[in-house]
Amino acid sequence: MGSSFPYVPLRIVVDTREQHPYAFEKYPEAEIIRHGLKTGDYSLAGYEDRMALERKSLDDLIGCLTTGRDRFERELERARALDLFAVIVEASVEDVKRGRYRSKLNPHAALQSVIAFQVRYGTSFVWAGSRAGGEYMAYGLLEKYRREKEGHGEALAASGTEGASKRTRAARRERMDN
């Protein structure tokens, strides 16, 4: 039985520099577009200048708090102009507290830096616990952001319904058949 609502794929833009991108294979609505982003690793087609997500493994995050701190703070500063920006950490706070990373950075100092960045730049850090948790949180944030904008009549124009891939159309047909 079909829906009266138009099907709109979730067109996720993945930065071309992202070395280990999420595949979003568990989400048939996801349509991946590789494209350079000014800020972050993930965004939505049509909203690249309004929202972005940054993915970090625990070792990546710790690197951003030490040797890569200046570059990371420049990114956080750029992100202040966005409606939504979050850093998705593929680890837990407990992982940081227990020093489960390669650096010798003191765990307390690491967490205090994250807290300072949240206050200074208004950036949310999402502690996802694992890579799978990070993918789940990324998809959820992207989907909810679009849903919020759709409620204001913005998503259909930004998502380009006519650009749905064969994969997403097939997934829709399969769901409707079941």
Side-chain angles (χ1 to χ4, degrees), residues 106-135:
N106 177 289
H108 177 74
L111 289 171
Q112 288 300 306
S113 288
V114 169
I115 292 166
F117 289 164
Q118 288 182 116
V119 172
R120 187 177 305 145
Y121 300 106
T123 297
S124 296
F125 281 72
V126 178
W127 299 95
S130 66
R131 181 165 173 82
E135 181 178 55

Side-chain angles (χ1 to χ4, degrees), residues 98-112:
R98 293 184 182 269
R100 294 181 179 145
Y101 46 83
R102 291 187 293 258
S103 171
K104 296 206 183 306
L105 179 64
N106 177 289
H108 177 74
L111 289 171
Q112 288 300 306

Side-chain angles (χ1 to χ4, degrees), residues 5-172:
F5 297 103
Y7 174 74
V8 180
L10 190 65
R11 300 183 69 217
I12 300 171
V13 180
V14 179
D15 187 66
T16 53
R17 294 164 294 199
E18 172 67 321
Q19 295 178 13
H20 302 289
Y22 296 135
F24 297 106
E25 290 175 349
K26 295 179 182 178
Y27 308 98
E29 303 83 14
E31 178 181 316
I32 307 302
I33 301 164
R34 294 293 296 224
H35 186 71
L37 293 171
K38 292 179 187 173
T39 303
D41 297 319
Y42 300 90
S43 189
L44 290 170
Y47 293 109
E48 296 95 326
D49 61 343
R50 296 177 61 189
M51 72 88 58
L53 304 174
E54 178 74 17
R55 181 196 64 81
K56 294 288 180 202
S57 69
L58 182 53
D59 283 318
D60 289 341
L61 175 65
I62 298 303
C64 289
L65 303 178
T66 57
T67 58
R69 189 180 186 102
D70 289 340
R71 183 202 56 78
F72 189 55
E73 285 201 70
R74 285 192 301 274
E75 181 166 28
L76 295 175
E77 183 63 42
R78 279 192 313 275
R80 291 176 83 163
L82 302 176
D83 293 343
L84 173 68
F85 181 77
V87 177
I88 297 175
V89 183
E90 298 173 338
S92 67
V93 171
E94 190 66 21
D95 290 331
V96 179
K97 286 172 66 176
R98 293 184 182 269
R100 294 181 179 145
Y101 46 83
R102 291 187 293 258
S103 171
K104 296 206 183 306
L105 179 64
N106 177 289
H108 177 74
L111 289 171
Q112 288 300 306
S113 288
V114 169
I115 292 166
F117 289 164
Q118 288 182 116
V119 172
R120 187 177 305 145
Y121 300 106
T123 297
S124 296
F125 281 72
V126 178
W127 299 95
S130 66
R131 181 165 173 82
E135 181 178 55
Y136 176 85
M137 293 304 295
Y139 183 86
L141 285 164
L142 292 163
E143 195 275 330
K144 295 295 185 273
Y145 184 86
R146 182 183 74 176
R147 187 180 297 175
E148 288 292 317
K149 296 304 173 185
E150 192 173 281
H152 296 96
E154 298 177 32
L156 290 178
S159 295
T161 58
E162 60 281 342
S165 70
K166 290 180 184 177
R167 183 181 119 209
T168 54
R169 283 191 214 121
R172 178 178 178 227

